[in-house]
């Protein structure tokens, strides 16, 4: 029910995902009356892997997490998380209210022992593939222990999902020298340097976020959110500027039309929709958050991210590895 | 002497600036032997507006600010700042060690009464022109009073330099709603809402940094540094990706050659060199910091920024307005 478009996006994306993956089953949580119209003409072979759990309530995008927790117990979001918690599903995907999803996720699923706070983690594009960036806004007042835990979780994620042997883990900072940064980052760096389990490679600066120098990049949620949204803003700015500058003359237009297929390919590589689906790392259950403004293609990508994690048994591997890594 | 290239960049840029602006005079501080070779063939009409103060020492890029302050009293950086302090110059431009420049600037020039810490501020491109972003890394552990003071200084800068009547001042945050953000940002927002002097417009998110929704965008130095460098990283990433994706086939190459002039124009609009020259706001004197990796064109831009501020009498206007605005 969540996101800017609700069932109009999430249901067609679910159907498309079922078409793409024969092993997938999807349970839709929400208002049956709103969902049903989108299910009219799907083939029976797809329909048998799709079911609906009707829910009376919806968490609004404007609901505070505490309000959603107390007063939205019959909501699609809460019911879906409960269903996951009862072991009836292997993962939960939502485009809804991020704070409420995190609040309900923490309350129902709990964090792993030794993890104080979950982190929101997404893949970001690099020339060679992708890196993981976390936290993206689950936590705005973070201490160095939190950053340390985020680093461990990011490392386990990259190992589990991408099969990397020793993922390179870095801290996002305002310089590469040991003296740079605030107290929180410096102390987290000391903690990570002192442990011998994961492959900590030191600091990276913002201009290397997309360079592929690290597989996992760790920061507090305020900084991660600003960094990710700023990069989206730059992409939008360049697109608008191109339009403004090249939209004018007939020759420009002709040339631009000729190179458009190339630019569509470029656009596809940097389109946030392609990287849609952020993990709520640290919860005892797989919760994937889609951008609220994701289109059908974007929501398919979020479902696909969840499916990939399930196939790799990420939640179980995370629990086992954290048991070894944390005191 | 500073930056990645030293006199090789700063001296030719100084000569170029003198050619562009008949009212400009430049005093070069540094090692006469290294500077002189670049002055061989300049016309007398330029040469008479250029002088050299020979300095025995140089602040290294790796020097800690405290070390530079104590042990580099004969350095080009220290001597230039002293010269400015003595009223012999109207502004100082350096491509050197940022921390040392800030440390020496604070020690010699002092901050304005009521300003606890200076901020580093730069212009960033928008579709319609530019906005100012501060702080960019002068302060990594900032409180809400600092952010409040940065907002006042940014507003005065935009008024003085761009002639804006009531510059729109915003705080960079991870959401636009009043409940979003960390304690520091929320408290700064309350302080700015309570005052009636400057035009505070609320929060902006990272994806609106380049949209022109505000004339001045305020954040702590850690966040500002990450945001600015991330945006540089995105531009670099897109450039590399374009090269990787379009470098292949003959047809692609031909098409790309045809649109290259258009892209050179686009590149020029987003090139950080075009926006080179960050102000050290809050010091009782005009100090402009060039990127260490600036080329001649970039350093000319930094000198031009300083010249523009001098013509607008920014330092005096800042003092007068802060006297009115601060308790």
């Amino acid at each position: 029910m969540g996101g800017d478009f609700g069932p109009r996006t999430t249901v067609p994306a679910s159907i498309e995902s079922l078409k793409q993956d024969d092993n997938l089953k999807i349970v839709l949580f929400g208002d049956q009356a709103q969902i049903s119209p989108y299910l009219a003409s799907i083939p029976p072979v797809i329909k048998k892997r799709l079911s609906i759990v009707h829910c009376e309530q919806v968490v609004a995008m404007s609901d505070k997490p505490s309000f959603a927790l107390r007063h939205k117990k019959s909501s699609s979001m809460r019911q879906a998380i409960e269903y996951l918690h009862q072991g009836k599903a292997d993962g939960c995907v939502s485009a809804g209210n991020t704070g409420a999803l995190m609040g309900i996720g923490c309350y129902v699923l709990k964090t792993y022992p030794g993890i104080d706070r979950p982190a929101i983690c997404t893949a970001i594009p690099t020339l060679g593939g992708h890196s993981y960036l976390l936290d993206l806004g689950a936590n705005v007042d973070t201490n160095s222990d939190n950053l340390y835990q985020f680093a461990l979780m990011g490392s386990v994620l990259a190992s589990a999902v991408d099969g990397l042997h020793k993922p390179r883990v870095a801290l996002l900072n305002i310089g590469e020298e040991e003296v740079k940064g605030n107290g929180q980052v410096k102390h987290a760096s000391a903690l990570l340097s002192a442990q011998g389990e994961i492959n900590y490679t030191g600091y990276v600066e913002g201009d290397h976020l997309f360079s592929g120098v690290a597989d996992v990049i760790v920061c507090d949620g305020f900084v991660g959110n600003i960094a990710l949204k700023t990069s989206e803003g730059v992409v939008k700015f360049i697109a608008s500027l191109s339009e403004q500058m090249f939209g004018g003359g007939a020759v420009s237009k002709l040339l631009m039309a000729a190179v458009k297929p190339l630019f569509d390919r470029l656009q596809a590589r940097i389109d946030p929709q392609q990287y849609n689906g952020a993990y709520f790392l640290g919860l005892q259950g797989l919760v994937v958050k889609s951008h609220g403004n994701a289109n059908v293609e974007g929501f398919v990508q979020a479902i696909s991210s969840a499916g990939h994690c399930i196939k790799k048994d990420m939640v179980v591997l995370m629990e086992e590895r954290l048991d070894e890594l944390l005191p």
Side-chain angles (χ1 to χ4, degrees), chain A:
Chain A
M1 302 300 291
D4 299 351
F5 313 112
R8 185 150 56 95
T9 294
T10 53
V11 182
S14 299
I15 295 166
E16 177 58 30
S17 298
L18 290 167
K19 285 180 184 165
Q20 290 180 10
D21 185 346
D22 290 343
N23 292 310
L24 187 67
K25 289 181 191 166
I26 291 182
V27 186
L28 301 169
F29 285 76
D31 178 1
Q32 178 122 29
Q34 285 189 58
I35 294 170
S36 297
Y38 296 99
L39 304 178
S41 59
I42 48 171
V45 59
I46 298 293
K47 204 162 198 168
K48 70 178 185 195
R49 288 185 282 123
L50 185 68
S51 53
I52 302 175
V53 172
H54 175 69
C55 304
E56 295 290 337
Q57 288 181 310
V58 168
V59 173
M61 294 305 262
S62 57
D63 284 345
K64 285 195 181 179
S66 54
F67 181 85
L69 253 176
R70 270 196 293 270
H71 302 292
K72 297 285 179 85
K73 288 179 186 162
S74 310
S75 65
S76 49
M77 187 183 278
R78 176 66 173 266
Q79 291 303 309
I81 298 273
E82 295 279 4
Y83 195 85
L84 173 67
H85 180 57
Q86 290 153 14
K88 296 179 188 166
D90 297 305
C92 169
V93 182
S94 170
N97 181 324
T98 307
L101 187 65
M102 184 55 94
I104 292 171
C106 285
Y107 179 77
V108 175
L109 300 170
K110 310 281 184 295
T111 55
Y112 294 108
I115 297 295
D116 299 321
R117 299 171 173 200
I120 302 178
C121 177
T122 193
I124 57 172
T126 65
L127 281 183
H130 62 258
S131 300
Y132 292 103
L133 179 66
L134 74 164
D135 174 36
L136 299 171
N139 311 279
V140 293
D141 287 304
T142 315
N143 61 34
S144 49
D145 286 336
N146 299 136
L147 293 181
Y148 177 75
Q149 293 165 16
F150 298 167
L152 299 186
M153 293 195 292
S155 176
V156 176
L157 177 77
S159 289
V161 172
D162 299 328
L164 299 179
H165 175 52
K166 280 272 180 189
R168 296 157 301 160
V169 179
L171 285 169
L172 186 59
N173 199 359
I174 61 170
E176 286 177 10
E177 307 83 12
E178 205 47 52
V179 298
K180 288 288 176 79
N182 56 24
Q184 175 203 56
V185 168
K186 283 190 230 177
H187 190 229
S189 182
L191 291 174
L192 285 164
S193 298
Q195 60 78 44
E197 292 292 328
I198 69 165
N199 180 16
Y200 173 61
T201 57
Y203 298 139
V204 293
E205 294 188 69
D207 54 346
H208 283 104
L209 212 47
F210 301 90
S211 69
V213 290
D215 301 303
V216 177
I217 300 165
V218 175
C219 56
D220 82 48
F222 194 98
V223 170
N225 182 292
I226 298 287
L228 192 70
K229 287 201 174 153
T230 295
S231 61
E232 291 174 17
V234 174
V235 172
K236 273 194 269 179
F237 173 65
I238 292 176
S240 306
L241 197 60
S242 308
E243 216 166 287
Q244 190 191 64
M245 293 180 77
F246 307 148
V251 177
S252 298
K253 274 187 185 158
L254 208 68
L255 282 172
M256 287 311 290
V259 286
K260 193 168 181 305
L262 296 178
F263 280 88
D264 288 348
R265 269 169 54 204
L266 174 64
Q267 183 68 29
R269 271 294 302 277
I270 55 176
D271 183 3
Q273 304 275 3
Q274 295 289 329
Y275 295 87
N276 189 34
Y279 306 114
F280 281 10
L281 286 189
L283 295 180
Q284 297 191 44
L286 178 65
V287 178
V288 172
K289 171 67 177 63
S290 161
H291 254 286
N293 70 358
N295 57 20
V296 170
E297 189 193 352
F299 202 78
V300 166
Q301 184 55 45
I303 295 172
S304 164
S305 297
H308 191 64
C309 273
I310 292 166
K311 281 173 195 156
K312 297 287 185 177
D313 224 359
M314 194 270 281
V315 171
V316 171
L317 287 171
M318 183 70 76
E319 184 169 13
E320 290 174 1
R321 278 295 283 151
L322 289 179
D323 263 353
E324 297 163 18
L325 291 169
L326 287 168

